[in-house]
Amino acid sequence: MSRLFGSVRARATLGATLVVAVALVVAGTAVLLSLRSNLIGEAGTQAERSARAVASELAARTPYDKLSGLDGDDSPVQIVDEDGRLVAASEDLRRITGTATADVTPQSPKPDDDDSGDDSDDSDESLAPGEIAAETTFSNGSATVDGDTEDYRFAAVEVETDDRGRLTVHAGAPLAAEHGAVRTALTVMLIGFPLLFGVVAGVTWLVTGRALRPVEGIRSEMAAITASEDLARRVPEPATHDEIARLARTTNETLAALEASVERQRRFVADASHELRSPIASLRTQLEVAAAHPELLDLDGAVEDTVRLQHLAADLLLLARLDAGERPADARVDLSALAREEAAGRTGVTVDAEPAEVTGSRGQLGRVLANLLDNARRHARSRVTVTVRREGDRAVLGVADDGEGVAEADRERIFERFVRLDAARSRDDGGAGLGLAIARDVALRHGGTLTASASPAGGALFELRLPLAR
């Protein structure tokens, strides 16, 4: 069963069919009850009309054997006196239920009850002689008239006569029309509703399948992309403005981001292997030469290559941790104190800082400042300035130099990994091109920004903006 209704299409069809079924059953029940109530009301009106017609004849002192309402073939009539005795009934009435008495044979009144001049009675309504009560009482029952037994709606009307006291007239109207109409409507519903349910289920199945067709196209294309590992492919986007179209656009955006990430990882691996190959090859060459000719060993060069390898490996490991989503520590760091600490061991660096605390990793923020200072010293002519100030809810750390600056076209490109504007690639003139990339990644991880612009001295100005600690 779970497999049968496991698809969205099947569940949507089942849900729509159930909703329509509940709605139709409720509506059908209401229609049947309303139809039955209306037909019973019409039968009651007909019975009341017959009862009042007989009561009018009784009020006019018409004898029982002359009453026109007692010779009807389809409307049973009973006339009952104050004591509940049947005094007159329809000619062909053989059995009756639902009225004041089940008697069908009239009874003669007792001699001491034939006093018609007594105005006292036990009725709740006081009537003058010849007056018919305004209130009518209704009931349901059955009667056998001329051998046919049917259900009837009975109306009871009281009338005050001059010579026979208070009488109650019970007249019935057949409910055959009501039963027939209700049965016909019920039959139509029992036959029509299942057919309608089938139509609703079929239409919902077709419409849902058509609506989900783009989803199947997206799924099949994603399966093909997964199998081919070709991230340049895109899923089809339907020319609509619904949720499926937005799903397709979001999927393509995700594929584009994934493609860019994979491509960046490939470039990273290629550049990292290139950067590692040079110092390793240089170090191997020096060791091989030293093994053959110990007197030619360049110990200082070997140490520098080793240090360069150590720094490069540390940078690559930090980038790997940042790419893996490593969250910075939740510690309070004073940028002014951190700036003075990093500038203490470097010549030509001046610090102008006001207290500004931020939240993050002291080690990573120190790495950012160290990278910015190393970059500034590499390009400065004589002076590097570090400033720390507060701007609204942000702390701004600036590192400026008096060098040649960075061309406006390169102010974003220099933050890419392994990008170096230096022409030289030696261990003396340039680094691996990871310092600024690491600095920006750390800034982003701390909820801040790192930008490059021109300094007042004509060189480059790098500004790190971080949220102030609360």
Side-chain angles (χ1 to χ4, degrees), residues 153-420:
R153 180 69 167 172
F154 292 103
V157 177
E158 293 183 347
V159 57
E160 186 73 28
T161 61
D162 292 332
D163 54 346
R164 287 164 286 192
R166 179 167 297 192
L167 300 176
T168 302
V169 180
H170 297 272
L175 294 175
E178 178 264 336
H179 293 332
V182 171
R183 281 195 297 268
T184 301
L186 182 60
T187 302
V188 171
M189 291 180 183
L190 292 177
I191 295 176
F193 281 4
L195 295 178
L196 185 57
F197 296 159
V199 172
V200 170
V203 172
T204 305
W205 180 268
L206 294 177
V207 171
T208 306
R210 184 177 181 84
L212 293 177
R213 191 175 302 166
V215 178
E216 176 59 26
I218 295 174
R219 187 208 63 78
S220 60
E221 184 64 23
M222 287 296 294
I225 292 173
T226 303
S228 64
E229 299 183 357
D230 183 8
L231 296 178
R233 297 174 62 174
R234 296 294 181 266
V235 301
E237 295 187 17
T240 57
H241 301 284
D242 55 7
E243 292 80 359
I244 297 178
R246 292 196 293 271
L247 171 64
R249 285 193 292 270
T250 304
T251 302
N252 285 334
E253 292 171 0
T254 303
L255 288 172
L258 184 60
E259 181 185 15
S261 176
V262 171
E263 183 61 28
R264 190 171 76 166
Q265 289 291 81
R266 289 173 179 171
R267 290 199 307 268
F268 177 78
V269 172
D271 292 339
S273 62
H274 173 76
E275 293 294 334
L276 289 170
R277 187 181 299 114
S278 297
I280 291 176
S282 175
L283 184 60
R284 178 180 178 180
T285 300
Q286 294 180 59
L287 293 176
E288 289 177 349
V289 170
H293 306 282
E295 68 279 2
L296 297 179
L297 174 63
D298 184 6
L299 186 59
D300 294 337
V303 172
E304 290 179 3
D305 285 336
T306 303
V307 172
R308 185 183 178 191
L309 277 175
Q310 182 181 6
H311 291 167
L312 182 57
D315 289 343
L316 293 177
L317 289 175
L318 178 56
L319 284 174
R321 292 200 306 270
L322 293 176
D323 289 341
E326 179 182 287
R327 297 179 61 85
D330 191 14
R332 300 174 73 91
V333 180
D334 186 357
L335 287 183
S336 61
L338 185 63
R340 293 187 178 92
E341 179 181 328
E342 291 294 334
R346 293 176 171 86
T347 59
V349 179
T350 60
V351 178
D352 180 13
E354 64 179 71
E357 286 191 343
V358 297
T359 303
S361 170
R362 182 179 180 85
Q364 291 186 8
L365 293 177
R367 183 66 174 275
V368 171
L369 185 54
N371 289 352
L372 294 178
L373 288 174
D374 290 341
N375 180 76
R377 289 186 61 212
R378 185 180 299 116
H379 297 89
R381 292 188 178 93
S382 60
R383 182 164 51 92
V384 175
T385 303
V386 179
T387 59
V388 178
R389 66 183 186 277
R390 301 161 66 98
E391 286 187 0
D393 61 344
R394 296 268 167 170
V396 182
L397 185 149
V399 178
D401 61 68
D402 59 352
E404 297 181 357
V406 181
E408 187 172 356
D410 296 327
R411 289 177 183 173
E412 281 298 317
R413 195 170 69 89
I414 58 176
F415 292 107
E416 296 179 6
R417 298 175 182 182
F418 298 104
V419 170
R420 286 173 293 190

Side-chain angles (χ1 to χ4, degrees), residues 70-150:
L70 299 183
D71 56 0
D73 295 333
D74 56 349
S75 299
V77 176
Q78 282 183 316
I79 302 175
V80 181
D81 63 9
E82 293 177 283
D83 297 327
R85 291 190 299 269
L86 181 68
V87 297
S90 299
E91 296 178 358
D92 298 327
L93 182 61
R94 296 294 178 266
R95 189 179 64 84
I96 190 169
T97 61
T99 58
T101 178
D103 294 337
V104 295
T105 303
Q107 303 175 18
S108 299
K110 297 180 180 179
D112 55 354
D113 291 339
D114 196 20
D115 184 10
S116 60
D118 188 3
D119 292 337
S120 62
D121 56 69
D122 298 331
S123 174
D124 294 338
E125 184 178 2
S126 178
L127 300 174
E131 185 180 358
I132 301 174
E135 182 180 358
T136 303
T137 305
F138 295 96
S139 62
N140 292 332
S142 63
T144 301
V145 180
D146 197 17
D148 296 330
T149 302
E150 294 185 12

Side-chain angles (χ1 to χ4, degrees), residues 420-444:
R420 286 173 293 190
L421 302 182
D422 311 78
R425 286 180 174 265
S426 70
R427 58 178 175 266
D428 295 327
D429 297 328
L434 294 177
L436 294 179
I438 291 175
R440 169 163 281 188
D441 284 352
V442 171
L444 294 177

